[in-house]
Amino acid sequence: MRRRSFLAALPAAALAAPAFATSRQENPNRDRPDVRPGDRIDGATFASRSAAWGIHGAAATAHPLATQAAIDMLRAGGSAVDAAIAANAVLGYGEPISCGIGGDCFVMLWDPKARKVVGLNGSGRSPRGLSLETVRKRATPKGMIPSHGAIAVSVPGAVDAWWSLHQRYGKLAWKDLFAPAIAHCEDGAPIIQNTAFYLEASNRIFTRPGSGIEEVENFKKVWTRDGKTPREGEVFRNPELGRTYRQIAQGGGRAFYEGEIAETIERYFKRIGGWMTKADLAAHKSEWVEPRSISYRGVDVWALPPNSQGLVTLQMLNILDEFDVKAMGFQSAAAIHHAVEAKRLAFEDRARFYADPAFYRQPVEWLLSKDYARERARLIRPDAIAPTYYPGKAPSHGDTTYFTTADKDGMMVSIIQSNYRGMGSGLMPDGLGFMFQDRGELFALTDGHPNVYAPGKRPFQTIIPGFATRGGEPMLSFGVMGGDMQPQGQTQVVCNIVDFGLGLQEAGDAPRWHHDGGMEPTGEDLGQPGVLNLETGVPDATKAALAKLGWVMKPAPGGYGGYQAIQRHPGRYAAATEMRKDGVALAY
């Protein structure tokens, strides 16, 4: 049976009652900004909960079932890598609006034997048969690559990233890592709130007239019934994805790229007039890379190099290191203003210098130097917004899910995996149960740009895992999902912990800001000085002071990312999860 089944696991009596939660739009009692959270007896007044503590291992993901799968693997003697792979497979089933085996994957981890931070780039390349000329012919009126459809699809890197990780760090049998996800696909599980919300939005986007998506029947067959997606609490099955997982579990990670799955993908793209081939899939390999780091007030913060945007976090923190952020005050206008200006400066460099290093040599040493950070920091005025920022002059030489796991041996895995914009391209290969990413949208189409489209090239990537060490010891495995919010959110979390002394859960629960504006790596100009989005929890006095500085502010609900983290303490772990999502942090 290919068609998905709503409510199949519920007894008939349960179906007669309106058992499912209503949306905020349907229930006025759920849309009351004047009503604040209840009071906790201890901890920060704005915190949603306390961190989870344990001595043997920990996991924090955006879905309760994924966290449970990770803990089960750890209890069975698995490594943090085993736990991460099992969790990611479950997330591909339960949180498809953010991730899945049709997307890419980036990883940083603490290797306790080598005693160092290790990086893995699991991003795929553009189809080799798709030319720049063809892409330009399909461009939008603004000269950008469309967000959806086959033109935006690049090779999915997630499964090979899992395989590479397991080959080096796995302890349990590969096939056992997929058992929880396969069971959920076949038996069904209730849809969580955020997934229900974004599935409905995806359905509207993919099925609207003029979407440009070559084929949407496969999406509708798996994810809709009578034109509607499942609501929160409704039981959903995806037996197609379950069968695909079984093939990967039995055949190994390369079964996705070289066997029956790859042949099905090639036939699908031929049928709809796309470009990806079995040869493109077979050519894909993940790449072990050297993470880079900077010191921020005695804490070494790590990031992956381009084609990811990880260095943005390091650049922002380098600039903020020139100021006494602690003295400015937590959630103060001064602290937010300086951080946003640091973001604007770093993002101009992001737009100019970040691209596939196989095609362009980034001036990484210069970008991360303290001298350059000092030079950029001098451009920030405490009493005014800079009208425009530009990238530095380099020397002449040339919707996402984040989750983290840790094990009894001290390994900590920081992993992020995504289909990019929401669910992805809108395209689902026949009978395989997953959607392809639309990362190809992030190429530029301007001649001479480091990130200009080329066949067989990796696009600029927004997804970035985070990691921090102190004194050569692992300290923090963390991430904040959500496009360009990721380095902005990572910076805020680090400042909350290092500058303001917040606990792990409190650092994520604190109100956030998100700035939109400036140049993009695609060549698009979003305008200067841009818009500052603030969560409702930012103090009113801070908002008034920022407005006085001239910031144009909006609330932008839902645009502040999703945080998961594990912090290492001597002999124990603390785990935290995002209050804005539906995840769970557990430790034991």
Side-chain angles (χ1 to χ4, degrees):
M1 184 179 74
R2 288 192 170 187
R3 188 174 180 83
R4 76 138 173 90
S5 175
F6 282 148
L7 316 177
L10 294 181
L15 302 183
F20 303 117
T22 57
S23 70
R24 183 181 296 177
Q25 291 74 22
E26 294 173 335
N27 187 340
N29 291 319
R30 302 181 71 184
D31 193 14
R32 291 285 301 278
D34 59 318
V35 178
R36 299 301 177 97
D39 299 324
R40 290 182 58 85
I41 195 67
D42 195 13
T45 56
F46 52 81
S48 62
R49 72 202 88 181
S50 60
W53 290 86
I55 60 175
H56 300 296
T61 83
H63 197 295
L65 295 179
T67 302
Q68 291 176 38
I71 294 294
D72 287 345
M73 296 300 157
L74 294 174
R75 286 186 177 277
S79 68
V81 158
D82 292 326
I85 295 169
N88 203 168
V90 174
L91 288 164
Y93 156 77
E95 200 195 10
I97 45 88
S98 296
C99 66
I101 55 176
D104 284 343
C105 180
F106 284 80
V107 185
M108 281 193 292
L109 62 84
W110 177 260
D111 184 330
K113 291 184 178 179
R115 296 201 54 76
K116 68 175 185 178
V117 180
V118 175
L120 181 69
N121 182 329
S123 62
R125 292 166 172 79
S126 57
R128 297 184 183 275
L130 177 58
S131 68
L132 175 60
E133 179 184 11
T134 299
V135 176
R136 281 177 167 158
K137 288 179 180 178
R138 302 291 185 98
T140 69
K142 291 184 178 181
M144 301 291 115
I145 297 174
S147 300
H148 303 104
I151 199 74
V153 176
S154 52
V155 172
V159 176
D160 190 71
W162 299 349
W163 184 243
S164 298
L165 287 166
H166 187 262
Q167 293 291 98
R168 182 178 290 192
Y169 296 110
K171 290 185 176 181
L172 300 179
W174 169 260
K175 64 181 178 59
D176 294 343
L177 308 184
F178 294 86
I182 291 170
H184 295 316
C185 288
E186 294 176 348
D187 298 339
I191 293 285
I192 59 175
Q193 189 176 81
N194 272 273
T195 295
F197 177 87
Y198 287 110
L199 275 175
E200 183 180 8
S202 297
N203 187 34
R204 291 196 303 269
I205 292 169
F206 296 154
T207 60
R208 75 180 187 276
S211 69
I213 302 173
E214 290 86 349
E215 184 276 321
V216 295
E217 292 306 310
N218 286 350
F219 165 80
K220 292 193 294 184
K221 179 172 61 179
V222 171
W223 285 107
T224 69
R225 191 175 78 176
D226 299 327
K228 296 181 179 180
T229 53
R231 300 180 69 185
E232 178 190 356
E234 291 185 330
V235 174
F236 165 75
R237 291 173 176 156
N238 191 344
E240 292 184 353
L241 180 60
R243 286 195 296 272
T244 303
Y245 278 160
R246 283 192 181 278
Q247 289 179 270
I248 296 169
Q250 294 165 4
R254 296 306 299 176
F256 183 90
Y257 300 91
E258 297 171 0
E260 181 183 336
I261 296 172
E263 292 170 358
T264 300
I265 290 172
E266 181 176 71
R267 287 195 300 270
Y268 175 72
F269 277 103
K270 284 183 178 179
R271 179 169 74 82
I272 68 170
W275 297 271
M276 189 178 298
T277 66
K278 186 178 179 181
D280 291 322
L281 293 162
H284 174 75
K285 295 289 190 297
S286 300
E287 179 184 2
W288 295 101
V289 295
E290 288 292 329
R292 305 304 299 263
S293 69
I294 58 96
S295 177
Y296 183 71
R297 312 194 205 285
V299 173
D300 293 320
V301 183
W302 296 80
L304 295 179
N307 56 318
S308 100
Q309 65 172 338
L311 299 188
V312 174
T313 301
L314 307 190
Q315 286 193 255
M316 290 177 65
L317 289 170
N318 255 351
I319 293 170
L320 289 176
D321 204 22
E322 298 298 312
F323 302 97
D324 191 347
V325 175
K326 181 178 180 180
M328 294 176 187
F330 175 60
Q331 290 290 310
S332 69
I336 293 176
H337 169 73
H338 282 77
V340 175
E341 292 290 77
K343 176 267 176 184
R344 293 179 62 204
L345 286 162
F347 269 55
E348 290 303 311
D349 287 341
R350 181 187 83 144
R352 171 64 182 84
F353 298 113
Y354 288 34
D356 185 348
F359 287 75
Y360 174 75
R361 182 185 174 192
Q362 287 81 16
V364 173
E365 300 295 336
W366 168 74
L367 287 170
L368 297 184
S369 71
K370 292 294 185 181
D371 286 341
Y372 180 58
R374 200 168 297 117
E375 173 190 326
R376 299 295 269 174
R378 285 196 290 265
L379 299 175
I380 298 176
R381 289 183 53 183
D383 59 347
I385 304 168
T388 303
Y389 283 129
Y390 298 98
K393 294 183 178 179
S396 55
H397 57 279
D399 281 328
T400 301
T401 196
Y402 173 83
F403 50 105
T404 177
T405 57
D407 64 28
K408 60 182 176 59
D409 298 320
M411 180 177 289
M412 299 173 69
V413 177
S414 180
I415 179 168
I416 195 160
Q417 204 260 303
S418 174
N419 285 1
Y420 183 48
R421 188 181 294 277
M423 288 190 76
S425 64
L427 298 173
M428 298 182 66
D430 299 326
L432 298 185
F434 69 88
M435 183 173 289
F436 288 106
Q437 64 186 358
D438 51 358
R439 284 284 166 189
E441 178 191 354
L442 289 175
F443 281 115
L445 294 180
T446 306
D447 286 332
H449 193 290
N451 189 43
V452 66
Y453 177 85
K457 184 176 181 178
R458 294 176 296 189
F460 165 80
Q461 281 274 357
T462 58
I463 56 176
I464 52 172
F467 209 92
T469 58
R470 181 153 45 193
E473 296 293 332
M475 172 188 167
L476 183 67
S477 175
F478 75 110
V480 179
M481 45 188 110
D484 70 354
M485 180 64 201
Q486 293 178 55
Q488 300 182 59
Q490 285 191 3
T491 298
Q492 291 172 70
V493 166
V494 171
C495 288
N496 285 343
I497 293 173
V498 176
D499 292 315
F500 302 120
L502 295 185
L504 192 65
Q505 184 65 49
E506 298 167 346
D509 284 350
R512 296 190 192 134
W513 56 265
H514 175 206
H515 178 265
D516 288 314
M519 290 298 296
E520 290 286 291
T522 60
E524 184 179 10
D525 188 350
L526 300 180
Q528 301 257 21
V531 174
L532 178 57
N533 306 294
L534 297 174
E535 287 196 297
T536 56
V538 174
D540 290 340
T542 297
K543 294 176 183 176
L546 289 168
K548 191 173 182 179
L549 284 172
W551 285 109
V552 175
M553 292 177 289
K554 293 182 179 179
Y560 301 97
Y563 163 77
Q564 316 288 338
I566 295 175
Q567 192 168 25
R568 177 70 174 174
H569 298 263
R572 62 203 189 278
Y573 293 111
T577 190
E578 176 60 76
M579 54 84 71
R580 299 160 187 84
K581 302 287 186 180
D582 300 319
V584 169
L586 294 175
Y588 76 106

